[in-house]
């Protein structure tokens, strides 16, 4: 088990590719590690520890020159393989003593994201994704923000639609409180759910709300919030108690040249800033006080099935025990 209880041997998205520019290194903290990202002359993303082996300066404060990352403190240069190729104080052309190399980290770019391999095993060939998730394009837009809660709280929130009539009653008005689970299944290693929110008594001002969503390890979810409108998101751990939330929104109705991108930008900003930041986070922060990893006190019911499946898969991945995913007991109405 990892010290911070992050799921090992997984690809984690750690940065949006569009924000990683040539010649401009970027420092991020992900999975309790301080990392520096930069691009070499071929445009390939490079990842290293954000710490110069000389005297621990942050390399992300430096720059890229001659296809090398330059330390801002004393000018040491590191190539894209992590080799220290120059110590200016020793003079140009002088051999670099052993011990100054900086091992690179395994990263890949797919689906508009930089992915980081967290684990000791050889990296998996497949990047975790959803075929229905929106890809970068003129009808999509992304948002990102850091939050002071465990990624597990955000992952729970992705699988919970029955909080909508209570937490979001001002921004998503009229949602009913009764949940009908139409689908709840494992599709390989993907959790797929369809749920509807109904009113106990029907009426023209009491619409049904339908959600189709999927979740997969370690930190991914995609949700169709309306027909033709979907987002894909990652709750990547910064550390045990903080999360980098990234989401890309897409819609199928209005082409980019007619303002489709602007519409998704507005939708993304509304959902992140108003709905999640000012409504969901209040509840997630209250959960966080009970411990970021402790779910032993939870009493789940049928509408929580996606959450139960996620934590079941997570348990298998964490401890390597091939127990049944249904080991987290659901308490339905009328159960003992």
């Amino acid at each position: 088990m990892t010290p911070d209880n992050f799921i090992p041997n997984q690809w984690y998205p750690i940065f949006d590719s569009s924000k990683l520019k040539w010649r401009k290194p970027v420092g991020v903290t992900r999975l309790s590690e301080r990392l520096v990202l930069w691009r070499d002359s071929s445009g390939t993303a490079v990842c290293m520890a954000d710490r110069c082996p000389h005297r621990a300066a942050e390399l992300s404060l430096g720059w890229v020159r001659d296809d090398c990352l330059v330390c801002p403190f004393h000018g040491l240069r590191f190539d894209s393989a992590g080799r220290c190729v120059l110590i200016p104080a020793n003079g140009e052309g002088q051999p670099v003593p052993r011990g100054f190399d900086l091992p690179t980290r395994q990263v890949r770019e797919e689906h508009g994201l930089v992915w980081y391999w967290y684990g000791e095993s050889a990296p998996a060939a497949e990047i975790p994704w959803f075929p229905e998730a929106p890809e970068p394009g003129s009808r999509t837009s992304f948002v990102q923000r850091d939050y002071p809660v465990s990624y597990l709280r955000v992952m729970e929130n992705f699988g919970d639609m029955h909080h909508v009539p209570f937490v979001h009653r001002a921004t998503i008005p009229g949602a009913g409180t009764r949940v009908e689970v139409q689908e709840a299944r494992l599709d390989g290693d993907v959790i797929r759910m369809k749920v509807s929110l109904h009113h106990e008594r029907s009426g023209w001002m009491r619409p049904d709300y339908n959600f189709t969503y999927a979740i997969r390890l370690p930190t991914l979810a995609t949700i169709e919030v309306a027909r033709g409108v979907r987002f894909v998101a990652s709750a990547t751990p910064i550390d045990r108690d903080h999360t980098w939330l990234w989401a890309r929104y897409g819609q199928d109705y209005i082409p980019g040249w007619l303002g489709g991108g602007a519409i998704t930008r507005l939708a993304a900003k509304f959902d992140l800033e108003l709905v999640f930041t000012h409504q969901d986070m209040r509840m997630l922060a209250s959960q966080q006080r009970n411990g970021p990893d402790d779910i032993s006190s939870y009493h789940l019911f049928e509408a929580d099935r996606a959450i139960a499946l996620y934590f079941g898969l997570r348990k298998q991945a964490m401890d390597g025990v091939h127990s049944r995913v249904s080991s987290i007991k659901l308490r339905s109405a009328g159960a003992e």
Side-chain angles (χ1 to χ4, degrees), residues 141-162:
S141 181
F142 82 91
V143 288
Q144 60 181 343
R145 185 164 174 172
D146 298 346
Y147 290 98
V149 295
S150 165
Y151 79 101
L152 295 174
R153 301 292 80 78
V154 184
M155 292 305 297
E156 288 176 38
N157 198 60
F158 288 152
D160 172 5
M161 302 302 148
H162 41 295

Side-chain angles (χ1 to χ4, degrees), residues 125-145:
E126 179 189 357
I127 292 290
W129 197 245
F130 308 98
E132 67 270 30
E135 298 286 354
S138 61
R139 300 186 185 191
T140 67
S141 181
F142 82 91
V143 288
Q144 60 181 343
R145 185 164 174 172

Side-chain angles (χ1 to χ4, degrees), residues 71-133:
C71 175
F73 202 4
H74 299 96
L76 278 71
R77 294 189 184 186
F78 303 89
D79 66 16
S80 59
R83 292 184 296 267
C84 183
V85 297
L86 175 66
I87 299 178
N90 290 350
E92 291 188 11
Q94 296 301 310
V96 175
R98 296 180 61 184
F100 284 88
D101 292 345
L102 194 60
T104 58
R105 308 298 177 86
Q106 292 277 359
V107 291
R108 284 170 57 182
E109 288 189 85
E110 289 191 23
H111 308 295
L113 288 160
V114 179
W115 300 76
Y116 171 72
W117 179 254
Y118 177 76
E120 300 298 326
S121 69
E126 179 189 357
I127 292 290
W129 197 245
F130 308 98
E132 67 270 30

Side-chain angles (χ1 to χ4, degrees), residues 14 103 133 137 170 187 214 241 245-246 249 260 268 335:
I14 61 169
D187 178 12
D241 298 310
L245 178 60
W246 170 95
Y249 292 74

Side-chain angles (χ1 to χ4, degrees), residues 151-322:
Y151 79 101
L152 295 174
R153 301 292 80 78
V154 184
M155 292 305 297
E156 288 176 38
N157 198 60
F158 288 152
D160 172 5
M161 302 302 148
H162 41 295
H163 73 280
V164 169
F166 303 98
V167 178
H168 304 308
R169 60 187 182 275
T171 50
I172 310 176
T177 60
R178 180 169 58 83
V179 178
E180 178 188 346
V181 178
Q182 300 169 335
E183 180 181 62
R185 63 184 176 91
L186 278 176
D187 178 12
D189 55 1
V190 177
I191 301 161
R192 296 199 175 275
M193 296 281 293
K194 290 183 180 179
V195 301
S196 297
L197 301 181
H198 302 280
H199 290 270
E200 295 293 346
R201 290 172 294 279
S202 62
W204 71 277
M205 289 293 288
R206 295 174 176 173
D208 293 340
Y209 280 84
N210 302 301
F211 300 93
T212 301
Y213 56 103
I215 301 171
R216 68 179 302 173
L217 298 182
T219 61
L220 292 168
T222 183
I223 302 176
E224 186 179 62
V225 294
R227 190 174 183 85
V229 180
R230 177 180 291 275
F231 71 83
V232 60
S234 177
T236 302
I238 295 174
D239 55 32
R240 185 182 177 90
D241 298 310
H242 298 81
T243 297
W244 175 65
L245 178 60
W246 170 95
R248 180 187 297 134
Y249 292 74
Q251 51 83 27
D252 296 335
Y253 297 107
I254 302 175
W257 62 272
L258 275 179
I263 289 173
T264 54
R265 283 194 295 274
L266 288 173
K269 187 174 181 62
F270 169 82
D271 195 37
L272 184 79
E273 296 295 338
L274 183 58
V275 177
F276 188 83
T277 300
H278 295 291
Q279 295 178 346
D280 287 299
M281 269 301 299
R282 183 167 170 261
M283 294 297 100
L284 272 57
S286 71
Q287 289 179 282
Q288 182 80 354
R289 298 189 190 103
N290 295 320
D293 300 308
D294 184 17
I295 63 166
S296 61
S297 63
Y298 285 12
H299 295 269
L300 305 181
F301 44 79
E302 183 60 26
D304 296 312
R305 175 141 320 255
I307 296 170
L309 289 169
Y310 175 79
F311 277 100
L313 289 175
R314 178 179 179 271
K315 183 178 187 301
Q316 289 184 16
M318 292 294 292
D319 59 23
V321 176
H322 298 290

